[in-house]
Amino acid sequence: MAVQALDAGRPSIDWQKWALPAALIAVAYCLIPAYASSYLVEAILLPFLALSLAAVGLNLLTGYCGQLSLGSSAFMAVGAFAAYNFNLRVEGLPLAATMILAGISAAGIGVVFGLPSLRLRGFYLAVSTLAAQFFVQWALTKFGWFSNDNPSGVISAPHLVIAGFSFDGATGRYLLSVTTVILLTALVWRLVNSATGRNFIAVRDNETAARVIGVPVLRTKLLAFAISSFIIGVAGVLWAFTYLRTVEPAGFNLDRSFQILFIIIIGGLASIRGAFLGAAFIVVFPLALSRLGAALFGWLFDSGVLDMSQRIVLGALIIIFLIAEPNGLSALLDRLKRRIGSRSS
Amino acid sequence: MIGASLGAAAYERAPEISGILAGAGPVEDTRPARLSAKTDAILTLSGIGIAFGGVKALSDVDLEVKGGEIRAVIGPNGAGKSSLINIISGLYHADRGRIAIDGQSFSRVPASRLARLGVARTFQNLALFGGLSVRDNIASGRVHTRRASFVEHIAGLPRARREDARIAEKVDRTIAFLHLDTVADRLVATLPYGLQKRVELARALVAEPKILLLDEPMAGMTATEKAEMAGFVRAARDRHGVTIILIEHDIGVVMGLSDRVAVLDYGRKIADGTPAEVRTDPAVIRAYIGTADGEGI
Ligand SMILES: Nc1ncnc2c1ncn2[C@@H]1O[C@H](COP(=O)(O)OP(=O)(O)OP(=O)(O)O)[C@@H](O)[C@H]1O
Ligand SMILES: [Mg+2]
């Protein structure tokens, strides 16, 4: 029994842990830039990367720290509009600095709207984060300054230049996006595997016990809001600058917040890999559905029908996941791997 | 009437277990020396009262705990035992009375500073972090000694690494002490109940507290598990001199393990003394006969 117990929990050997990330990085930097079509990059990879990063950020807050938020899209908007303004108003500010400042702006707003978490939990907290959602969208529409007085509040991406090289082309934007996502994901990975990450989990799993053993509960929650919003803010910059190129405040509405929440539910709470699996699913699913629909029903399957069937299928999937597999695609993948492993051995 | 139970039999084996725990050779009995060296109270409750709505959970309770003793608190269900521990650990705030912990006097104990005051506790219902491994659960018991910020953790700076190493060493020692080696890397939620109880004790002990509050650490365990747990509790006191407040329903365990016993009934302290004194106290016998909860008696 002792031996069995020992085996069950042992972390896998190092090469196994590093093989997959190394392979993914090779694909990301060698294969995709060389072979991917511009449709694949523009319609799939760029939204996938931005949404993945936003989901990584939300997962930190909701999955790891247990604080439910419906304000993700607001923090994306803060990131996007802050980056636009820093770039516009600070002469010669490097792109990297713009993105970091945008993240910090989102973190600041995140902390403010995280303050209710010191008192509220679960459903009530989620409702209070809705305030962020409505307030930010209202402020960005109401005050022309944020969009440099564009009548409809629309902002356009600036030229993306780093060290004299232009990243405006599809491949350039992809490289910028993928690099940002990899860097921030690596930092989050370090964070969740550190004592700070374990404090997040402690607060999530048993706040009272956490407090009694000396976890600074209030500081931990606000830190989770800050870091999470920083990452979601940068994801907003990617969304606006590398994917859409022109955005308006209405693009960062409650639907988007729910979309990011669905990504982490489908992908798996408290799992970085889950954020990517969920984002891949959310991006590919409507495209696959429309192809399938068109193939089966032809012209009957117009955009209205597509939209409706998409919502129905997605809603059903969320319910199925919540009931049958609360740990999402990530856990499904684990189980599949184990089954294949046990069959081959 | 009181005393004949399987818990008493279990306790007979405890010295032998603590001998094994000590590892190097037989343990010497440090009790007489320790008791004469430290006789002053390390924890004093005076005039504690608390009510929930109309229910008086505790009224005018005094309790004095000497350094290094195992102080049992017993009483029927709903007597107010857990409320007492919750007041000492700052989770409940008493309506009346004061709590002095190691020389510092409070009317409300600050729960967030509890660990730094040298107090650790376990909970009547398991309060572990289900998403963490056994090792990480135990390590969290030393979180109050950490100073490094999250930036230092992400960057892996020296101070963060030093803290991790220092804590890992203490965790390893606690894991060995409580025989948790074989399950150390498992998710705590996957362990059987008895082991989870032990992990919770480990998380409290790793903090190296001066005062340890144990709220029914053996509830729901088999006789063997109880005996083991009793051995650990005793060894913790004998080896580290930690002062222990023990809530337990199994009178056999209590009588064998504790130096002094306080008895609560309907929120009042009805008896206080050595196990021998308490077990013959007419008020205690009456309180226990008067309830359906005669477990262990
Ligand atoms: N948070 C609370 N809210 C309301 N009532 C409470 C609360 N905590 C305790 N009580 C009440 O106070 C009384 C004492 O409860 P307490 O949990 O301290 O008893 P106990 O001696 O630990 O009992 P048990 O042996 O069942 O654990 C009970 O009547 C209980 O219902
Ligand atoms: Mg109780």
Side-chain angles (χ1 to χ4, degrees):
Chain A
M1 175 237 153
V3 176
Q4 223 175 0
L6 205 66
D7 277 346
R10 267 288 144 85
S12 51
I13 330 163
D14 257 358
W15 68 263
Q16 269 185 333
K17 206 166 76 188
W18 291 107
L20 187 66
L24 287 176
I25 287 176
V27 170
Y29 281 106
C30 305
L31 290 185
I32 291 176
Y35 298 109
S37 69
S38 79
Y39 171 79
L40 181 66
V41 170
E42 300 262 8
I44 296 178
L45 290 175
L46 287 174
F48 160 73
L49 286 167
L51 288 177
S52 296
L53 189 61
V56 167
L58 181 64
N59 224 341
L60 205 53
L61 181 67
T62 301
Y64 286 92
C65 200
Q67 311 299 305
L68 188 53
S69 160
L70 290 177
S72 312
S73 165
F75 304 133
M76 285 178 81
V78 172
F81 279 78
Y84 171 78
N85 280 288
F86 278 117
N87 184 275
L88 182 75
R89 297 170 204 280
V90 184
E91 194 69 33
L93 190 68
L95 186 58
T98 304
M99 289 170 79
I100 290 170
L101 287 172
I104 292 173
S105 309
I109 301 287
V111 169
V112 171
F113 284 97
L115 286 173
S117 73
L118 307 184
R119 280 305 180 90
L120 304 177
R121 277 176 215 187
F123 174 72
Y124 296 96
L125 176 62
V127 170
S128 87
T129 58
L130 275 179
Q133 186 56 54
F134 294 125
F135 173 79
V136 167
Q137 227 181 307
W138 169 81
L140 291 177
T141 320
K142 166 94 183 163
F143 302 105
W145 184 86
F146 289 118
S147 55
N148 202 24
D149 292 321
N150 181 293
S152 44
V154 173
I155 57 169
S156 299
H159 284 300
L160 304 173
V161 180
I162 298 173
F165 293 99
S166 164
F167 285 80
D168 284 323
T171 309
R173 279 180 282 132
Y174 162 77
L175 286 173
L176 178 67
S177 186
V178 83
T179 306
T180 309
V181 171
I182 287 173
L183 281 178
L184 282 179
T185 303
L187 293 184
V188 170
W189 187 81
R190 299 245 342 150
L191 181 77
V192 298
N193 287 296
S194 76
T196 307
R198 291 193 287 274
N199 280 354
F200 285 7
I201 294 176
V203 167
R204 175 195 72 190
D205 286 352
N206 198 314
E207 197 176 312
T208 305
R211 185 147 51 101
V212 164
I213 60 173
V215 174
V217 172
L218 307 187
R219 200 155 20 109
T220 301
K221 283 184 184 175
L222 291 184
L223 185 67
F225 266 98
I227 301 178
S228 158
S229 308
F230 178 95
I231 292 163
I232 296 175
V234 174
V237 182
L238 295 183
W239 186 260
F241 285 12
T242 68
Y243 171 48
L244 287 180
R245 311 284 282 151
T246 353
V247 290
E248 53 179 343
F252 297 103
N253 58 9
L254 188 58
D255 275 3
R256 180 87 47 231
S257 287
F258 271 113
Q259 187 181 41
I260 296 162
L261 185 64
F262 290 164
I263 288 176
I264 67 171
I265 291 174
I266 290 177
L269 291 170
S271 152
I272 292 178
R273 184 179 59 176
F276 287 88
L277 293 174
F281 179 84
I282 287 280
V283 170
V284 172
F285 163 73
L287 300 174
L289 191 68
S290 84
R291 294 260 163 112
L292 188 72
L296 291 180
F297 306 108
W299 56 268
L300 277 172
F301 203 78
D302 60 15
S303 69
V305 180
L306 172 65
D307 197 53
M308 201 167 61
S309 51
Q310 198 177 309
R311 280 166 191 269
I312 292 169
V313 177
L314 201 60
L317 272 174
I318 301 276
I319 292 169
I320 290 170
F321 267 106
L322 283 176
I323 293 170
E325 185 50 275
N327 295 321
L329 289 172
S330 184
L332 276 183
L333 198 70
D334 271 340
R335 208 163 331 125
L336 197 71
K337 260 199 288 194
R338 232 173 297 136
R339 195 164 299 169
I340 293 169
S342 70
R343 203 167 290 169
S344 66
S345 64
Chain B
M1 179 126 224
I2 301 173
S5 82
L6 88 194
Y11 169 70
E12 306 292 304
R13 294 177 46 207
E16 168 203 327
I17 293 166
S18 67
I20 298 165
L21 280 172
V27 249
E28 49 182 316
D29 190 1
T30 52
R31 270 164 91 173
R34 192 206 62 254
L35 282 179
S36 62
K38 290 172 142 188
T39 40
D40 25 38
I42 191 170
L43 176 71
T44 315
L45 309 186
S46 35
I48 294 294
I50 189 170
F52 299 100
V55 185
K56 281 190 179 166
L58 290 170
S59 2
D60 200 23
V61 173
D62 296 322
L63 188 74
E64 179 228 47
V65 187
K66 291 178 189 150
E69 77 174 330
I70 298 183
R71 190 75 154 100
V73 176
I74 64 172
N77 288 112
K81 307 179 297 293
S82 295
S83 300
L84 194 74
I85 278 198
N86 285 341
I87 287 172
I88 300 172
S89 50
L91 296 180
Y92 290 176
H93 293 148
D95 303 327
R96 260 176 298 283
R98 292 195 74 79
I99 305 108
I101 298 174
D102 202 18
Q104 276 181 274
S105 178
F106 303 94
S107 58
R108 300 173 149 208
V109 178
S112 54
R113 271 177 51 210
L114 195 70
R116 262 168 287 156
L117 287 170
V119 183
R121 67 166 292 176
T122 65
F123 293 80
Q124 180 167 353
N125 302 310
L126 287 170
L128 288 165
F129 309 125
L132 291 177
S133 70
V134 170
R135 191 182 292 283
D136 289 340
N137 264 280
I138 301 174
S140 70
R142 287 204 70 81
V143 69
H144 67 288
T145 65
R146 288 187 185 272
R147 295 291 170 271
S149 66
F150 77 97
V151 178
E152 289 170 278
H153 283 137
I154 292 177
L157 295 187
R159 180 159 76 157
R161 288 217 305 270
R162 255 194 331 265
E163 281 179 4
D164 283 345
R166 210 177 51 219
I167 289 174
E169 192 196 311
K170 295 212 190 269
V171 169
D172 281 340
R173 248 185 283 154
T174 308
I175 285 175
F177 177 52
L178 293 180
H179 300 189
L180 287 165
D181 320 65
T182 51
V183 294
D185 293 309
R186 282 193 27 197
L187 266 190
V188 77
T190 65
L191 297 188
Y193 176 80
L195 277 181
Q196 292 198 30
K197 279 284 209 195
R198 207 191 291 179
V199 175
E200 217 184 316
L201 177 65
R203 183 179 69 189
L205 276 179
V206 80
E208 298 175 343
K210 283 184 234 149
I211 302 169
L212 179 60
L213 315 172
L214 302 175
D215 196 347
E216 305 201 14
M218 297 149 207
M221 286 188 166
T222 65
T224 327
E225 286 174 329
K226 274 187 188 176
E228 250 183 322
M229 200 65 167
F232 291 135
V233 171
R234 192 162 166 42
R237 194 275 302 274
D238 290 349
R239 286 178 61 189
H240 307 294
V242 50
T243 308
I244 295 170
I245 295 187
L246 171 70
I247 296 180
E248 181 50 52
H249 274 294
D250 189 321
I251 301 297
V253 171
V254 168
M255 294 298 163
L257 206 53
S258 43
D259 298 306
R260 289 196 292 160
V261 183
V263 187
L264 295 181
D265 190 27
Y266 290 112
R268 296 184 175 279
K269 191 167 84 172
I270 56 166
D272 197 348
T274 64
E277 288 163 6
V278 163
R279 69 169 25 158
T280 52
D281 192 308
V284 177
I285 295 170
R286 222 176 306 121
Y288 272 88
I289 292 172
T291 66
D293 171 58
E295 183 194 340
I297 298 177

